[in-house]
């Protein structure tokens, strides 16, 4: 999540959540990490989604925090809820509703959620019908995660990256991001599902430097411990960052970028993960010829970095997204079948091809 979201006063926010594993109970985490003021939430409800903002009857549950229905989250803080007894089915959507008396001030948010969020005036957290939710956005606010207590899942895979991992240009509301397809593959594998998937992608994110636009987040170096290593039960991190550094020629301390800069950044994250007994799978950077990011010099850095990812042995395993999605006739470009049209971000078919490129046996149960 990042800073820069809108302020809310006397509004209910109803957000769609797509759990990757089944189980019960569950808990949610509210984040005020990037907000300058304390956050007051007067009511929180969670329910199974029926359609749109409508919940399935008799599935709504009041969410409490230390036994209370309201919660105050300090500026810069986070708060996990009490366990909620609600059976969760993998790949079935839930709706989380927050009533914010406000004014909240600048909100902590996930700007590009690629799902529909519903807004209503007043407190409608417990409404089943959803008719009061007359406004929609495609962002998430204050909701940092949902943890499902599973009897079969033995750990978490974190997909850590930028807008491609975030799902940019995937079809909104269809859960067509590549981590979604990976979660579906894990759910469909023989036997009980042993791993959940967390999407820690942020549009525009860079490995080494912060993005000037605050809503695109601090660098991967700064957020890795919290956003990746801080996830409950994390066993593996798929690290897929660097194309925004290359495309913006954004080296450390304002100097032009080199391949060695990115390699040194990867090594820092690998060391941090290994110190926490977490494996890191390195993903090669996909081609972008035809996009404004592409120059011969940038392509040389991408090729050098990809060669290192494949051959250095620094990662615990390698996922070759570049090989899976490039055009064999023009290896500097995305395959036309996978190109969303901007020559950088995959379409839904490309997102699925990325998930299919992950060898499930390389993920630690």
């Amino acid at each position: 999540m990042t800073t820069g979201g809108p302020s809310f006063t006397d509004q209910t926010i109803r957000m769609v959540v797509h759990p990757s594993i089944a189980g019960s109970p569950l808990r949610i985490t509210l984040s005020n990490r990037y907000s300058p003021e304390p956050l007051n939430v007067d009511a929180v409800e969670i329910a199974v989604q029926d359609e749109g903002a409508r919940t399935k009857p008799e599935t709504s549950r009041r969410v409490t925090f230390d036994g209370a229905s309201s919660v105050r989250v300090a500026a810069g803080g986070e708060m996990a809820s009490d366990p909620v007894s609600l059976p969760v089915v993998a790949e079935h959507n839930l709706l989380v509703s927050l009533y914010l008396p406000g004014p909240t001030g600048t909100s902590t948010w996930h700007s590009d959620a690629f799902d529909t969020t519903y807004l209503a005036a007043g407190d409608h957290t417990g409404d089943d019908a959803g008719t009061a939710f007359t406004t929609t956005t495609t962002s998430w606010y204050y909701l940092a995660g949902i943890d499902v207590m599973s009897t079969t899942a033995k750990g978490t895979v974190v997909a850590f990256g930028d807008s491609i991992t975030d799902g940019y240009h995937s079809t909104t509301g269809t859960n067509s991001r590549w981590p979604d397809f990976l979660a579906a593959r894990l759910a469909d594998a023989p036997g009980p599902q042993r791993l959940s998937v967390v999407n820690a992608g942020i549009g525009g994110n860079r490995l080494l430097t912060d993005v000037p636009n605050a809503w695109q987040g601090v660098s991967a170096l700064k957020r890795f411990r919290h956003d990746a290593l801080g996830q409950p039960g994390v066993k593996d991190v798929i690290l897929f960052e660097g194309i925004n550094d290359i495309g913006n020629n954004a080296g450390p301390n304002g100097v032009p970028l080199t391949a060695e800069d990115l390699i040194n950044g990867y090594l820092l994250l690998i060391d941090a993960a290994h110190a926490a007994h977490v494996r890191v799978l390195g993903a090669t950077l996909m081609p972008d010829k035809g996009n404004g990011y592409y120059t011969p010099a940038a392509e040389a850095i991408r090729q050098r970095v990809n060669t290192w990812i494949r051959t250095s042995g620094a990662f615990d395993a390698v996922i070759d997204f570049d090989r899976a999605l490039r055009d064999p006739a023009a290896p500097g470009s995305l395959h036309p079948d996978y190109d969303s049209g901007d020559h950088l971000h995959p379409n839904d078919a490309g997102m699925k091809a990325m998930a299919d490129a992950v060898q499930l046996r390389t993920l630690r149960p």
Side-chain angles (χ1 to χ4, degrees):
M1 303 192 81
T2 63
T3 188
S7 179
F8 297 94
T9 301
D10 188 28
Q11 287 176 278
T12 301
I13 306 171
R14 181 164 284 182
M15 294 166 282
V16 180
V17 180
H18 189 69
S20 63
I21 56 171
S24 185
L26 59 86
R27 67 177 184 179
I28 68 168
T29 298
L30 299 180
S31 177
N32 199 34
R33 192 162 183 242
Y34 296 103
S35 301
E37 302 174 8
L39 171 68
N40 293 310
V41 184
D42 274 10
V44 182
E45 295 262 345
I46 188 165
V48 178
Q49 185 186 33
D50 186 356
E51 184 177 359
R54 188 170 67 244
T55 69
K56 287 192 175 182
E58 300 182 3
T59 66
S60 187
R61 303 287 189 273
R62 178 57 56 101
V63 180
T64 60
F65 299 81
D66 293 331
S69 295
S70 61
V71 63
R72 181 179 175 89
V73 186
E78 294 185 331
M79 183 74 72
S81 75
D82 301 326
V84 179
S85 180
L86 176 66
V88 174
V89 178
E91 308 295 315
H92 286 209
N93 288 344
L94 305 175
L95 294 173
V96 177
S97 302
L98 313 179
Y99 172 59
L100 307 176
T104 63
T106 303
S107 55
T108 293
W109 69 334
H110 190 105
S111 174
D112 297 325
F114 302 101
D115 215 324
T116 303
T117 290
Y118 305 91
L119 304 176
D123 182 1
H124 293 277
T125 52
D127 290 9
D128 285 338
T131 53
F133 294 87
T134 57
T135 304
T136 62
T137 78
T138 55
S139 302
W140 288 319
Y141 308 93
Y142 299 113
L143 182 62
I146 179 170
D147 304 322
V148 178
M149 313 303 175
S150 170
T151 58
T152 61
K154 305 302 181 184
T156 298
V157 181
V158 178
F160 187 87
D162 50 39
S163 59
I164 299 175
T165 299
D166 207 10
Y168 191 78
H169 278 327
S170 65
T171 303
T172 296
T174 64
N175 300 302
S176 297
R177 315 164 191 88
W178 74 260
D180 296 322
F181 285 118
L182 176 61
R185 285 188 64 204
L186 288 166
D188 291 341
Q193 186 175 353
R194 297 179 298 169
L195 290 167
S196 64
V197 178
V198 169
N199 188 332
I202 295 179
N205 200 227
R206 301 175 188 171
L207 177 70
L208 303 176
T209 59
D210 298 348
V211 182
N213 297 326
W215 59 87
Q216 293 181 316
V218 298
S219 70
L221 292 179
K222 291 181 180 177
R223 71 184 186 93
F224 187 72
R225 290 184 185 275
H226 179 274
D227 291 3
L229 303 184
Q231 297 295 333
V234 58
K235 298 291 185 66
D236 296 292
V237 175
I238 299 174
L239 179 57
F240 182 44
E241 287 261 18
I243 198 65
N244 290 318
D245 302 71
I246 294 174
N248 289 282
N249 195 22
N253 302 313
V255 302
L257 182 75
T258 67
E260 286 66 33
D261 292 329
L262 287 176
I263 290 168
N264 290 336
Y266 294 140
L267 289 171
L268 288 174
L269 298 189
I270 293 168
D271 287 346
H274 287 172
H277 308 290
V278 173
R279 298 171 71 248
V280 184
L281 288 70
T284 55
L285 304 178
M286 298 190 306
D288 60 1
K289 190 172 185 179
N291 184 272
Y293 273 4
Y294 182 88
T295 66
E299 176 66 1
I301 293 176
R302 187 182 74 89
Q303 293 290 352
R304 166 80 175 92
V305 167
N306 280 351
T307 298
W308 181 84
I309 290 172
R310 293 185 181 108
T311 63
S312 68
F315 289 100
D316 297 287
V318 172
I319 302 168
D320 206 336
F321 288 153
D322 171 44
R323 185 166 291 141
L325 271 78
R326 69 193 181 195
D327 184 351
S333 305
L334 285 174
H335 193 290
D337 290 348
Y338 300 145
D339 191 344
S340 67
D342 69 0
H343 312 301
L344 175 66
H345 298 93
N347 56 21
D348 291 358
M351 292 287 181
K352 185 177 184 301
M354 291 176 69
D356 290 345
V358 180
Q359 298 183 39
L360 299 186
R361 67 176 181 271
T362 65
L363 301 175
R364 180 171 61 182

